[in-house]
Amino acid sequence: MRLAISMCLAGLIAGGAAHAENGEVQRGPVPAWVVTAEPMPVPADAAGAVFIRRHETEVRLDGRGEAVYTGYRVKILHASALQLGNVSLAWNPAAGAPVVHMIRIHREGETIDVLQKASFEILRREDQLEAAMLDGVLTAVLRIPDLRVGDEVEFGATIRSSDPTLGKDDAGLLLLGPEPAPGRYHLRLSWEEGAKPIVQMSPDMKAAAQQGAQAIDYRFDNPPALVPPKDAPPRYAWQRIVEYSSFADWAGISRRFAPLYAAASRLDAGSPLRQEAARIAAAHPQPTDRARAALKLVQQDVRYVYVGLNGGNLTPATAEETWQRRYGDCKGKTALLLALLRELGIEAQAVLVNNGGGDDGFDARLPSPRLFDHVLVRAQVAGKSYWLDGTLPAVVPPDEAPMLPYQWVLPLTAQGAAIERLDWKPAARPDEVNLFEIDARAGFDKPARITSTTIKRGIEGLQQEVQFSALTPAQLLGGFRQQAIGDTWQTIEDVQWRYDEKAQAGVLTIIGTGAVDWEDGGDGVKSLVLPGGGFSPPEKRVRAAEQNQDLPYYNKPKFGCYVTTVRLPSTTRPGQWSHKDNIDTMMFGRAYYRAFDVRDGALRMIRGDRVEQKEVDAASARRDNGRIPRFDNSMAWITYDPNGASDITDQGGARVPATYEIDWTADTVPCLPAELMK
């Protein structure tokens, strides 16, 4: 089993396919609004797998929505490109019939009409059932027979898209990919009278735009590959893209969707959901406990299934319907949760978010519902704002911060809300803590008892919960014995797993024995590298000369912690042990910390690193480039010298707890210097 992060608002890219009621792909002439390019001559030195003689992507906006024409003529230069003969169409039954205009092969002056002898095979199946998605999409496939290297394949088809929720109002993108094959490309956006959209272009598209009265054309011959600025924040990768939208502002989208959730969450007088809410209210007098109980009911008693049938990809199913069938997608679960919270007297609203992590720079984009792929609930409880996601496992309670690090969200309100930025700050708790205890008290030449504990938060912790919670202890133990015994483990005696709801973390502990790889230095000297104790030096932050040198550098947020404790052989003394230096530095907006401590018969090490700044300005990056040679990348060596006389317990520094001395799932653990953990 696995946890699939919900992305249940479908149709994110405008121009999805459609089909006729009888499930057949239709044939027809090229629409009059299509403007095709003259095929580009194939150069004698053409290289690569294909040469694009022409490729068109044209979007037509009208009173019914939009139609998308895709056409191309491609010469096959290499056997690896023969897969172009596998033609596939996918469509949703809501918007009309896709029309294939041509599939031809051009070979040595001869033109072969493929559709005279071959036809599409309709696959009547849901192709994403493993991801719990029912979207009604059909797939048609056609395999071009007798396709050869040297042939030219010509294809043209028009697919109409019209979302019943949005009607003629929508938004979309025209784009030319970053690494196109050599050849000629034509992108076109056109519209009927009265359907002119708002258009926004990236600078490279603005330079290529040819503006007409009711169309904009973009033509490229042999477009160069685009390389986004190295290590820049994701928003700077927005290149060669045209946005179009019929929404004047974000508030218009908010106003459009808010009534849908208001209607879907409205309950009938005799609704069984009113009884559920009354039961929750009777059992939980406090509003926070009521919100938690309502969320758990939606998470636990209604399984997640994406439902996009009959054009329902943006319109939520009603709370009543979702409760009756006991399954729903993010939209249905959100409507159900809103209904319960309203009955419990808790103010709440639906909020559109992007689960794909691509929301950097949304404030600079044209208003588009297609930028969001998920919806959840934000509630006001006891004077605080809480996030509730009905699609997550039932171990996730309401929280003041959402599970995923959203940057931009869109609240849905009757008055209309603007897109909203969520503040970011460094994580207060590690995403992952690795605890490793080596009990070597029996001596250097004896197997050590090893206890390894991994504490995982966030999505990885939830994936662990989904994976392990259904296993019996015997199954868990047997699985790890089968997979883990080897270099580290000689035996595995016990495997324990639990999900700590208070800490919001999966906790996995493995107990067994293993050989300790002591390095013999002669004269009784023994050394050991502690696992997880070293840092690799950060990479230099530089860009190619042709890229903008003044853009900031991006750090993906991360907070990791390694804690290793060695219970020292009982025949040794603290003064006979030494270790590598402590580390406490900041570089490229990231904190690096390592501390050692020897006391009570144990040598303790803690190593943590956390991103303190998501974006580092270019001047600071240049300064830190010069500091890299001085970065301490030493591994965490500890050394025993029977002739040692120094008392390293007097060296000062942080007091490092052993793996067994504190609760490492607590909100505050000493994985960084004290001043950073405040």
Side-chain angles (χ1 to χ4, degrees):
M1 295 190 300
R2 63 184 178 87
L3 173 67
I5 302 306
S6 174
M7 297 182 183
C8 63
L9 301 181
L12 299 182
I13 300 298
H19 74 91
E21 289 184 0
N22 60 8
E24 295 180 355
V25 176
Q26 297 185 359
R27 292 198 64 178
V30 175
W33 47 266
V34 170
V35 177
T36 58
E38 285 296 319
M40 188 176 185
V42 181
D45 61 348
V50 298
F51 182 82
I52 309 298
R53 297 202 64 195
R54 64 174 177 84
H55 191 292
E56 287 100 16
T57 302
E58 307 189 28
V59 174
R60 178 71 169 180
L61 305 178
D62 56 31
R64 293 189 295 150
E66 70 176 34
V68 179
Y69 171 83
T70 301
Y72 55 79
R73 182 167 172 171
V74 178
K75 186 173 182 64
I76 296 175
L77 303 176
H78 191 276
S80 64
L82 290 173
Q83 61 184 350
L84 284 173
N86 300 326
V87 181
S88 176
L89 294 174
W91 63 87
N92 187 291
V99 180
V100 176
H101 312 299
M102 72 200 76
I103 302 179
R104 301 174 185 145
I105 297 175
H106 299 272
R107 178 186 299 153
E108 298 178 351
E110 179 187 6
T111 299
I112 303 169
D113 186 348
V114 174
L115 293 175
Q116 282 190 349
K117 295 184 178 180
S119 60
F120 282 90
E121 177 186 359
I122 310 300
L123 306 179
R124 300 176 181 276
R125 62 182 179 85
E126 296 284 348
D127 64 356
Q128 298 194 67
L129 285 177
E130 73 282 356
M133 297 181 70
L134 297 172
D135 55 15
V137 171
L138 299 181
T139 302
V141 296
L142 182 150
R143 299 168 185 86
I144 298 176
D146 192 30
L147 191 63
R148 310 172 190 176
V149 174
D151 288 350
E152 294 184 14
V153 178
E154 186 177 19
F155 171 84
T158 300
I159 296 168
R160 175 160 286 280
S161 173
S162 178
D163 189 282
T165 302
L166 299 174
K168 66 181 181 63
D169 293 324
D170 207 341
L173 303 175
L174 269 174
L175 58 90
L176 182 58
E179 296 182 352
R184 174 165 290 170
Y185 295 83
H186 176 212
L187 287 77
R188 178 178 174 87
L189 175 65
S190 64
W191 54 88
E192 288 186 349
E193 190 71 34
K196 182 177 181 179
I198 302 170
V199 179
Q200 181 170 283
M201 315 171 205
S202 57
D204 42 22
M205 295 300 274
K206 189 176 294 185
Q210 299 172 346
Q211 182 76 55
Q214 290 183 225
I216 309 175
D217 291 271
Y218 308 86
R219 294 181 170 87
F220 300 87
D221 281 355
N222 296 320
L226 288 180
V227 180
K230 184 181 178 183
D231 293 336
R235 62 185 178 277
Y236 291 103
W238 193 263
Q239 298 172 293
R240 224 146 51 187
I241 294 177
V242 178
E243 306 169 71
Y244 57 92
S245 177
S246 57
F247 292 96
D249 53 30
W250 290 104
I253 297 176
S254 177
R255 283 192 297 270
R256 174 68 66 89
F257 281 87
L260 300 178
Y261 286 89
S265 62
R266 193 171 298 119
L267 300 180
D268 298 332
S271 170
L273 286 170
R274 293 183 183 272
Q275 300 173 16
E276 292 293 333
R279 179 184 59 78
I280 291 172
H284 304 282
Q286 297 301 320
T288 51
D289 294 331
R290 291 178 175 181
R292 179 188 290 262
L295 176 60
K296 191 166 187 175
L297 180 69
V298 174
Q299 292 170 332
Q300 187 168 273
D301 287 16
V302 179
R303 74 183 187 275
Y304 174 81
V305 176
Y306 166 74
V307 183
L309 303 175
N310 300 319
N313 53 349
L314 292 177
T315 299
T318 67
E320 304 275 17
E321 182 180 9
T322 299
W323 181 249
Q324 182 180 17
R325 61 192 183 190
R326 295 299 177 103
Y327 69 80
D329 57 16
C330 65
K331 304 179 299 296
K333 281 176 167 263
T334 291
L336 176 57
L337 189 51
L338 289 172
L340 290 170
L341 294 174
R342 184 187 300 119
E343 287 297 306
L344 293 168
I346 296 173
E347 180 185 351
Q349 62 184 189
V351 181
L352 298 181
V353 298
N354 183 285
N355 268 3
D359 56 351
D360 183 40
F362 269 19
D363 56 322
R365 306 278 74 84
L366 286 184
S368 171
R370 307 294 185 179
L371 292 177
F372 300 103
D373 59 15
H374 187 53
V375 63
L376 40 67
V377 172
R378 183 166 58 181
Q380 299 298 316
V381 185
K384 293 183 179 181
S385 182
Y386 289 88
W387 295 85
L388 299 81
D389 191 336
T391 68
L392 292 177
V395 294
V396 182
D399 201 321
E400 294 181 47
M403 173 63 68
L404 294 178
Y406 305 122
Q407 295 190 58
W408 295 95
V409 303
L410 182 63
L412 305 182
T413 68
Q415 300 78 20
I419 192 170
E420 180 182 331
R421 186 185 189 102
L422 300 186
D423 292 333
W424 178 86
K425 59 183 179 180
R429 303 183 297 184
D431 306 310
E432 184 172 333
V433 180
N434 289 279
L435 307 171
F436 203 75
E437 179 190 335
I438 302 171
D439 188 345
R441 287 178 290 183
F444 291 108
D445 58 346
K446 302 293 185 182
R449 185 172 178 81
I450 298 174
T451 302
S452 172
T453 299
T454 304
I455 302 167
K456 289 188 177 183
R457 290 188 170 86
I459 296 303
E460 289 192 10
L462 292 179
Q463 289 173 332
Q464 207 175 67
E465 198 276 336
V466 171
Q467 180 183 5
F468 292 153
S469 61
L471 300 179
T472 66
Q475 289 173 326
L476 195 63
L477 178 60
F480 274 90
R481 280 179 172 169
Q482 178 70 20
Q483 297 179 24
I485 290 179
D487 292 339
T488 299
W489 302 97
Q490 292 179 337
T491 67
I492 294 179
E493 301 168 7
D494 192 18
V495 177
Q496 303 168 8
W497 181 87
R498 64 188 172 89
Y499 192 87
D500 189 316
E501 291 194 36
K502 180 181 178 182
Q504 281 296 284
V507 183
L508 175 67
T509 299
I510 305 172
I511 302 171
T513 61
V516 181
D517 190 18
W518 295 103
E519 185 171 306
D520 191 343
D523 297 328
V525 175
K526 302 287 186 181
S527 298
L528 177 68
V529 176
L530 299 186
F535 289 110
S536 298
E539 292 186 2
K540 206 171 194 178
R541 296 296 185 99
V542 294
R543 298 191 177 106
E546 65 271 16
Q547 295 185 346
N548 190 335
Q549 304 298 310
D550 295 325
L551 297 181
Y553 289 85
Y554 177 71
N555 287 322
K556 184 178 181 179
K558 174 184 178 294
F559 185 6
C561 184
Y562 289 83
V563 185
T564 302
T565 298
V566 181
R567 292 181 182 254
L568 303 174
S570 58
T571 57
T572 68
R573 302 188 309 275
Q576 296 171 319
W577 290 90
S578 61
H579 53 71
K580 282 293 185 178
D581 293 336
N582 292 346
I583 296 174
D584 185 358
T585 190
M586 183 91 66
M587 194 171 290
F588 299 113
R590 183 174 173 179
Y592 298 86
Y593 176 71
R594 183 175 72 191
F596 293 90
D597 191 7
V598 181
R599 56 185 167 83
D600 301 332
L603 194 153
R604 305 108 180 281
M605 189 268 318
I606 190 166
R607 195 217 79 171
D609 67 300
R610 183 176 73 175
V611 168
E612 303 295 309
Q613 299 171 262
K614 283 203 302 181
E615 298 186 12
V616 180
D617 65 86
S620 297
R622 286 190 286 269
R623 181 201 67 210
D624 284 345
N625 283 338
R627 299 173 57 214
I628 291 177
R630 301 190 298 276
F631 184 85
D632 187 347
N633 65 342
S634 62
M635 292 187 290
W637 282 100
I638 63 172
T639 301
Y640 164 75
D641 186 345
N643 298 315
S646 62
D647 187 357
I648 60 176
T649 58
D650 294 334
Q651 291 182 358
R655 186 176 178 86
V656 178
T659 55
Y660 45 80
E661 286 183 335
I662 67 171
D663 178 8
W664 292 95
T665 67
D667 288 344
T668 302
V669 289
C671 293
L672 291 174
E675 60 270 18
L676 290 181
M677 296 301 295
K678 293 178 181 178

